[in-house]
Amino acid sequence: GRAQGRGHHPHSSSTLRTRTLAATERARAQSNMSSDGTALTLHQVINNNSLVPVFRLFSASLRLDDYLSFYLDAREFRNAYSYGRSLDGKSVEVRAKEIYEKYFNPSSLTEIDMDPPVMEKLTEELEAPYGDMFDKAQRYAFEVLELKALREFVRSEAYKNFRKREKSLYQKREEKVPDIKEIEIQFKRIKDAQQHLNEIYTNISKKLASNTTAIQNGQALATLFIEYGESLQSSDDEDAAVLSECLLKAGQVMRNLEDLQQTMNRLLVQRFETPINEVLKGPLVAAVNQKKKYDKSAGKGDPKSSIAQETIAILRDTNNCADHQTFKSVCDMMELYLDYFEKGHKMLRKLIPSLMKYRNMIAQELDAKAPASQGTGDA
C-alpha cells in the first residue's frame, strides 16, 4: 500500500530510469557521430566481436588499449562470478589478484591510472574478493575510453575502412556469384601465411627461451651485487661504505629490470606466441583441409556449387583472421617493448645522481694521487 501511496505508480521509477538511460545513450551516440553521420556508442563497440579488435588497435595508437583490456577482463570476471562459470580453473581470489597485479601494480607493463579512492577500495577488497569488486574501476576505464578514444575512433580511417569492408563482404556474399579464381588466390595467401607464421612462431619461441636464460643470469648477477654490497656494510672504511651503497643500488635496479623483462616475456607468450600458434593450429589448418575437400568434390570449378561458395567464405575468413591476429600481435609486441624501455629508462634515470656522485669521488681521488706519483717520479 505504501509503495503506491500519493499517486505513485509501481513501475514509474523503473520506467523513468530506463528512459533516462536511453536518453543518455542517445546523447552519447550523438556526440560520437562519424563523418558519414553514423552514431556509435562504446557499448556497441564492445559488444561487436568484429569491431573490438579494430578499436583495440586504434586505442593502442593512443596508449589506451590497456583500459579496454581491463574493462573486458573485469567483465569476464564479474560474469564468471555471477553465473558460477569457470575462471580458467582458478579460484576467485587467484583471478582477482591476477587482474589487480596486471593493471594496478606500479611495476606492471600494463598498469593503468585509476582514481585514488577507487584504488584504495580495490586494495582493501582484494583480501576478500567478490564479483562486483572491479565495477567502479570498470566504469572509470569505460569513461576514459569513451572520452579519449571513441570520439576520435568514429571519425578515424580505421572505422571508415571497417564499415567499407563490412559492407563489401556482405555484398560479396549475398549479392554476387563468386569468382572461382578467388579460391586459388585466397589459398595462395593461406599457404604464404602458414609459411611465414611458422617461421615467426619458431623464432619467437627460441627468443623467449633464450630470454628466460638471460633473465636468470641477470637475476643471479643482481643478487651477487647485492650480497657483495651487504658484506661491505659492516666495514668501517669510508670507501667500502660508498662501494657498498653503489653495489646495493645497482643490484636493486638490475633486479627490477630483470623483473620487468620477465613480465614482458610472460606477456609476449600471452599476446604473441600463443595467439600466433592458435592461428597456425586452428583456422589455417582448417582452411587447408577445406581446400583439400573442395579439390576432391564434384562441385570443383563450379562457382555456384555450395562447396565452392563455402570454400571461398572459409578462405576469406581465415585470411582475415590471420591478418588481424598478426597485426594485433605485432602491435602488442611493439607496445610491450616500448613500455619496457620507458620503465627501464625511468629506473636508470633515478640512479644517475648516485652514479655521478661515485664518478666524481673516483675522479677526485685520482686527482689527489696524481701529484704524489709525479713527485716520486721526479725524485
Side-chain angles (χ1 to χ4, degrees):
R2 269 185 285 175
Q4 298 181 40
R6 300 176 66 181
H8 178 77
H9 190 277
H11 301 299
S12 61
S13 63
S14 62
T15 303
L16 179 61
R17 187 161 55 250
T18 301
R19 287 175 179 170
T20 302
L21 288 170
T24 303
E25 191 74 0
R26 283 196 300 274
R28 283 173 167 169
Q30 286 170 2
S31 69
N32 296 314
M33 299 282 285
S34 66
S35 56
D36 63 357
T38 306
L40 188 70
T41 68
L42 189 55
H43 282 299
Q44 290 172 327
V45 174
I46 289 170
N47 292 317
N48 185 331
N49 290 335
S50 298
L51 189 52
V52 166
V54 182
F55 183 62
R56 187 191 293 277
L57 288 172
F58 182 81
S59 299
S61 70
L62 302 175
R63 314 271 330 259
L64 297 171
D65 55 314
D66 289 326
Y67 285 93
L68 177 61
S69 295
F70 165 69
Y71 181 92
L72 296 174
D73 282 351
R75 182 176 69 175
E76 181 188 30
F77 175 84
R78 177 162 42 89
N79 290 342
Y81 185 94
S82 302
Y83 299 108
R85 295 173 186 162
S86 170
L87 287 163
D88 297 327
K90 299 169 184 172
S91 67
V92 171
E93 291 79 9
V94 169
R95 185 63 185 127
K97 188 173 182 181
E98 281 182 351
I99 293 173
Y100 183 89
E101 290 295 321
K102 183 176 180 181
Y103 297 106
F104 305 113
N105 187 329
S107 65
S108 172
L109 294 178
T110 52
E111 181 195 10
I112 60 175
D113 290 329
M114 187 54 58
D115 270 345
V118 176
M119 195 67 238
E120 288 173 16
K121 187 71 174 170
L122 264 182
T123 306
E124 291 173 10
E125 291 174 341
L126 199 61
E127 298 299 320
Y130 59 97
D132 298 338
M133 66 177 289
F134 293 110
D135 278 10
K136 288 183 180 178
Q138 202 178 4
R139 282 196 291 274
Y140 181 86
F142 187 95
E143 288 172 5
V144 168
L145 290 167
E146 192 171 50
L147 292 171
K148 297 185 178 181
L150 184 64
R151 291 181 183 179
E152 291 188 44
F153 177 68
V154 294
R155 297 172 179 83
S156 69
E157 289 299 315
Y159 183 55
K160 287 180 192 173
N161 290 336
F162 171 81
R163 284 178 54 77
K164 285 178 186 174
R165 180 177 163 278
E166 209 174 39
K167 186 177 179 181
S168 170
L169 286 175
Y170 176 82
Q171 288 174 341
K172 282 180 183 177
R173 290 175 181 171
E174 301 296 330
E175 299 172 10
K176 298 178 182 178
V177 175
D179 184 350
I180 205 68
K181 293 178 183 177
E182 189 183 347
I183 289 180
E184 297 305 326
I185 293 170
Q186 293 285 352
F187 188 64
K188 184 178 182 300
R189 285 206 61 216
I190 294 286
K191 297 300 289 181
D192 191 53
Q194 256 191 332
Q195 178 192 336
H196 286 95
L197 289 179
N198 258 316
E199 292 172 356
I200 288 170
Y201 174 75
T202 300
N203 280 277
I204 190 66
S205 298
K206 288 179 181 177
K207 175 175 173 54
L208 291 171
S210 65
N211 281 356
T212 300
T213 303
I215 289 166
Q216 291 170 349
N217 291 335
Q219 289 170 334
L221 184 59
T223 300
L224 291 171
F225 274 28
I226 291 170
E227 288 175 352
Y228 186 15
E230 288 173 346
S231 73
L232 292 171
Q233 284 180 322
S234 58
S235 174
D236 294 330
D237 184 76
E238 186 179 343
D239 286 348
V242 174
L243 179 57
S244 171
E245 181 187 332
C246 177
L247 286 166
L248 289 171
K249 286 184 177 180
Q252 191 56 56
V253 168
M254 286 177 64
R255 181 175 283 176
N256 291 340
L257 286 172
E258 297 304 333
D259 288 346
L260 273 180
Q261 178 74 52
Q262 193 168 43
T263 301
M264 186 176 75
N265 233 36
R266 178 173 51 79
L267 290 173
L268 281 172
V269 171
Q270 292 176 5
R271 297 188 184 184
F272 193 96
E273 184 187 40
T274 300
I276 293 296
N277 192 36
E278 287 173 353
V279 169
L280 282 166
K281 291 185 175 179
L284 288 174
V285 170
V288 170
N289 290 336
Q290 178 65 28
K291 177 63 165 55
K292 288 177 182 177
K293 180 181 172 184
Y294 165 76
D295 288 338
K296 294 176 182 177
S297 72
K300 181 181 179 181
D302 180 4
K304 294 183 180 180
S305 67
S306 60
I307 186 70
Q309 294 184 24
E310 180 188 8
T311 302
I312 287 175
I314 288 174
L315 296 184
R316 280 179 189 158
D317 288 344
T318 301
N319 277 320
N320 286 332
C321 171
D323 289 350
H324 288 164
Q325 187 55 65
T326 304
F327 189 22
K328 179 184 179 305
S329 294
V330 171
C331 289
D332 281 351
M333 175 186 271
M334 294 300 102
E335 285 288 319
L336 289 172
Y337 272 108
L338 179 62
D339 284 345
Y340 169 72
F341 285 117
E342 281 185 344
K343 292 192 173 182
H345 183 254
K346 190 184 294 184
M347 288 180 188
L348 290 169
R349 281 191 65 84
K350 290 180 181 178
L351 190 61
I352 286 175
S354 297
L355 292 176
M356 293 301 295
K357 182 180 79 172
Y358 304 142
R359 285 192 176 278
N360 288 335
M361 286 176 59
I362 294 167
Q364 288 170 6
E365 286 185 11
L366 291 174
D367 287 345
K369 290 177 181 178
S373 59
Q374 284 176 3
T376 305
D378 290 340

